[in-house]
Amino acid sequence: MSTKHFFADAPSLVAQHLKALVAANPSLGLIEDDGVVYNSSHKPTNVSIISGGGSGHEPAWSGLVGDNLLAAAVNGPIFGSPSAKQVLAGIDSVPSDKGVILVITNYTGDKLHFGLACAKANAKFASKNVPFAVLAATDDVALGRKRTGMVGRRGLAGNVIVLKVLGTAAGSGASFDQCVAIGSAVNANMVTVGTSLDHCHVPGRQNHETLPDDVCVLGMGIHNEPGLRKLSPIPSIQDLLTEMLKYLVDPTDEERAYVKFDEGDEVVLLINNFGGLSTLETSAITYQTMVALEKEWNITPSRVFSGIFESSLNAPGFSVTLCNMTKVASDLSVDITSVMDYLDAPTTAPHWPRPYGTGVKVTPRKTQANGLPKTNDVCERDFIIDPAKLDRMIRTGCERAIASEPNLTKWDMLMGDGDCGDGVRSVSLNIIKGLDNDLKGSGSVLKALDVVSKSVDDMGGTLGAIFGILIAALETAVVRRINSGDKLTESVWGDCAKEALDCLKFHSGARIGDRTVMDVLIPFCETLYSEKSLERAVEAAQNGAHSTWGMIPRFGRATYVTVAGDQSDGIPPDPGAWAVFEMVKGLLEGMA
């Protein structure tokens, strides 16, 4: 793994990449503040296909924006989901009279943020009868049915095939329901497995796990996850591919036989370079895969795609995807030719193989506000408390969270992608900046919540979505109490916290014992509600955070990490849960 980079500041890379992409492809437009790249020639008479996710996977997804592919792509921070606010900006950039389909790769943060955006868009456009849907790509087979039972399979590079077929169907005038059916059928008949010689390196990040020289990982994901299992010594490429193809094709594997392949089926092969392999080596891997497919499984792909489609920064690895287009056509009750025509159709997307350029200059449209009401727009009254105490409580919570960043990053590197610490530190610094600029000398509770809400809006990843839903629901509950003429007491705070928690539970299935942030949020909110005491609620939060030590994850991305039962003592606490404990502990200290 190379740890040397020309850029030490990872966040600046995303913005610069998007500006360069749009400059080189004048048919694309950019909403810079929201990280949205859109097709300026998109027609409102077509269904809008929108995708996106964390950056670091280029050319996915902005490089796939163009006619007969994506209408827009929404880009979050490196390995962090874009916020619901960003997704809504993407929806507004490519309006459709027929409907909008949001295609995601089935990671928790994406599911929450895109799901929340979908719910808000449904409400916003209800009077116009414009339908919205979220379609999750779930092509990974490495972890099997038992390991992915609660959260579902990961989405890997196979999602680009879904996007291409779906994008051309939309561009050809297919209806919303037809597009949903087409995307679902392609996803249901696709399988992917990955491998890598090492993890990738995120510019500017200090702590990274590396693999020994004689080890490779089978079942590798695209976010620095540890993978399914380590192989040592590294097998020959022929032996490695033999094992990978068994995961994809073997009908006797009860854990992974998701798609059936019969003789004569038209099959698409996609070899995806994670970003750190040479073109020469990627092509050789592609050839060896074709040889193994024909020799061992009597499969001759009718289409072969090879290159970088969905990277993991500079990870030296690759994935193999097979999509049975014959089964897709059968599921849709259409002729195979029509499905293959969708795949083969030319596109203006700059990073799809053999792109067709338009050469047309287009003036990018300016972003428009999403029209959602702000708290202060709907409530003229307020809760007012001592300004110094209010500032001290929020500031101390942020400072404790910032101080915990090294541990959060270290723990997240072991069980996730390592971005939790950076995300918590960044949002905490933004909140402090808001205190200094927008809340100085004010004891307004609504202004304080607005400062926090605005900072959280720019926070990607699962934790950002959790915080966003919780704060939005808390604001609503507080406004309701103000309008009812209630006085601000710990009892009222407890009632508001319970309402916010109930809203969050509606959007997330995680509960106590799943090793997530909910192991702290649930006991904190419920104790504040039942005992009307911040001190007792913080004690409950502390117990919840400590309970995640050694807890085997049952929800979120950490479930993809292999942990034997006798190794649970080595599991660190959940970093998101610990971050929230540090924050509420700071609230208590600041109040004292």
Side-chain angles (χ1 to χ4, degrees), residues 375-376 381-384 390 394 434-435 438-454 475:
T375 302
N376 292 340
R381 292 177 290 178
D382 203 344
F383 282 143
I384 303 295
L390 181 60
I394 299 174
L435 294 178
D438 302 325
L439 197 68
K440 195 171 183 180
S442 172
S444 165
V445 171
L446 289 182
K447 283 186 177 180
L449 287 173
D450 192 50
V451 164
V452 176
S453 179
K454 287 178 179 178
E475 283 185 284

Side-chain angles (χ1 to χ4, degrees), residues 365-429:
R365 286 172 287 178
K366 295 181 179 179
T367 180
Q368 299 178 352
N370 58 28
L372 296 176
K374 299 215 172 20
T375 302
N376 292 340
D377 294 334
V378 297
C379 184
E380 296 180 357
R381 292 177 290 178
D382 203 344
F383 282 143
I384 303 295
I385 64 176
D386 176 57
K389 177 184 286 189
L390 181 60
D391 180 282
R392 188 168 61 247
M393 290 175 67
I394 299 174
R395 190 179 300 271
T396 305
C398 291
E399 289 173 347
R400 285 190 66 97
I402 292 169
S404 69
E405 182 274 325
N407 279 335
L408 301 182
T409 298
K410 179 176 68 176
W411 296 334
D412 200 32
M413 286 299 302
L414 295 174
M415 301 294 291
D417 55 23
D419 68 342
C420 182
D422 287 342
V424 168
R425 182 176 184 274
S426 178
V427 76
S428 299
L429 289 172

